[in-house]
Amino acid sequence: MWKSDLPKPPVGSFENCVRCQKQFTVTKYTLAANPPPGYLCHPCAKSSGSDPFKKPAAPKKRKTTTDKRNLASYEERRLPSLAAICIEVISKHIDDVDALGDIGSMNIDEITKAMAKNRSLNEENARLFYSRENERLTLYDVTNLAPQALCTLASLNPGLADLRLDFCGHMDDAVASAWGASLPNLKRVELLGPFLVRADAWQAFFRGHPGLEGFLITQSPRFDIECMRVLVQSCPDLHELRLKELGKLSDDFLQEIKPLAGKLTHLDLSYPGTVDPLSETALIDLLTHVGPSLEHLDLSGHENVTDAVLFRGVKPHVHALRSLALANTPDLTDAGVAEFFGTWESARLSTINLSRNHLLAGAALGALLKHSGSELTQLDINGWKDTAEDALKAIPKATSHLTKLDVGFCRSVDDFLVKDLLERCAEIQEIKVWGCQRITEHCPRKRGVNILGIEMAQIY
């Protein structure tokens, strides 16, 4: 036994409990007997009402009067509009609605978006959006519509000229055939996920719609080179083409696209199914033919898109472009992109997406803003990690019409840049700052502007 003024025995030594006299091993949790002298084993310490393993409670920090007055990440809540309340009620009780009536195409679009959030669209309530007078139909999630329901869609909307369906994984050859017979006026079709449609069905669909002007598909693994050939031959007036996330995309596809020269205004070949399906030479050759008429170009996800494609393909042949997307093209260099924008004689761009290109930095940003800053409405430079603070500060000074900006994972972004954007860019609607560690909970806010990605933000 020890006196009260002696130090605690070392951890790992053996001692006898003053209460039960049993030998035990001393640990950092061993408690002194009360009253002293001596020490207690763990069972005796617990039986005496003391828990040796209980962590001491952290002292509660009291807020000062000043802290209570300062609300971090303050967000003013406003009552939703009457239209928003009605849309929410309709989408929640859509199965009980007999008819939507004349509520306007904008409100119908908002209802379909609300229903897509919980995938409540089914074969029964989908009929509420059908009409013989429909010339345009957009459904954002048709996961629950079976093939027969998709055939019914065509039968009840025979006048459709523009059709967009997202998540149409149940679409098959029978549906494509039904559309060919029931939608004679179809001019534009946009589909996300038509996995089951075979090559023969696509070809028959194209032959049945020679007036097709827009064909935009994403994730269609059975779409092959013969489909591409029949599409161009059967639809000579095609001016919108999207072959996104296409597994069989190759240089041969680009040869078939060339006859569309002078007519094609929208070209999207982004994120192919394989690593590098399109060669640098084939891309430059394609832009030589179709470049002069292009207004939108998306080659995101192609590893063979290099500075040479910009200087030999885009710069000499593409002059009417309004939207450019080259995201995740890792071989682009900062000096090359800076020189390209500095010497490119073309119309100013309204939308630029050069995200996830880790080599790009301040030089490219400065030249980009000098070229198109006055007309720019959407800019995405997510992942430009080495862009200096001074270069980023030029964004609000040069882009007075900016509405959407993504500066995620740009290390120099801070509260002051956000403040400058809110003050100078009167039309700004959305700012993304994911991964920006210098953004704090005191980041300024503005009504009507969504600032996404503030890690310190309070969740309401």
Side-chain angles (χ1 to χ4, degrees), residues 142-154:
V142 295
T143 304
N144 297 326
L145 296 189
Q148 185 57 45
L150 294 173
C151 293
T152 303
L153 179 151

Side-chain angles (χ1 to χ4, degrees), residues 75-148:
E75 185 176 301
E76 183 176 354
R77 295 196 172 193
R78 300 179 63 192
L79 292 175
S81 65
L82 179 59
I85 295 175
C86 293
I87 290 172
E88 182 180 356
V89 172
I90 290 174
S91 60
K92 184 176 181 181
H93 302 283
I94 190 68
D95 292 330
D96 300 322
V97 178
D98 294 327
L100 292 176
D102 186 14
I103 65 173
S105 58
M106 184 178 297
N107 289 327
I108 288 180
D109 190 64
E110 291 298 323
I111 292 173
T112 55
K113 286 181 180 179
M115 294 177 66
K117 293 180 179 179
N118 54 12
R119 289 192 167 172
S120 57
L121 187 73
N122 54 46
E123 184 176 357
E124 288 74 24
N125 57 40
R127 297 171 183 262
L128 296 170
F129 304 100
Y130 298 165
S131 172
R132 294 186 61 86
E133 299 176 357
N134 278 348
E135 294 184 357
R136 181 176 182 179
L137 180 62
T138 299
L139 300 176
Y140 297 98
D141 194 327
V142 295
T143 304
N144 297 326
L145 296 189
Q148 185 57 45

Side-chain angles (χ1 to χ4, degrees), residues 288-300:
T288 302
H289 289 80
V290 304
S293 60
L294 284 182
E295 297 178 5
H296 171 85
L297 176 63
D298 191 344
L299 297 176
S300 299

Side-chain angles (χ1 to χ4, degrees), residues 73 415 418 433-434 436 439-445 451-458:
S73 304
D415 294 350
V418 175
V433 292
W434 302 101
C436 299
I439 295 287
T440 70
E441 68 272 20
H442 303 294
C443 179
R445 303 297 181 90
I451 303 178
L452 308 176
I454 301 179
E455 297 181 4
M456 301 295 293
Q458 181 176 350

Side-chain angles (χ1 to χ4, degrees), residues 351-423:
T351 302
I352 298 178
N353 182 355
L354 291 171
S355 61
R356 288 178 287 174
N357 291 319
H358 64 282
L359 296 180
L360 303 188
L365 180 59
L368 180 158
L369 295 175
K370 186 176 181 181
H371 179 274
S372 300
S374 60
E375 299 291 333
L376 208 57
T377 59
Q378 297 184 35
L379 175 62
D380 189 345
I381 57 171
N382 184 297
W384 291 26
K385 55 186 178 61
D386 296 324
T387 308
E389 183 176 347
D390 291 339
L392 290 169
K393 287 181 178 179
I395 297 177
K397 298 176 182 178
T399 56
S400 57
H401 299 292
L402 197 64
T403 59
K404 293 184 179 181
L405 173 66
D406 189 345
V407 287
F409 298 95
C410 295
R411 296 172 178 172
S412 298
V413 174
D414 55 16
D415 294 350
F416 297 101
L417 176 63
V418 175
K419 180 176 181 293
D420 211 11
L421 287 166
L422 296 178
E423 291 177 350

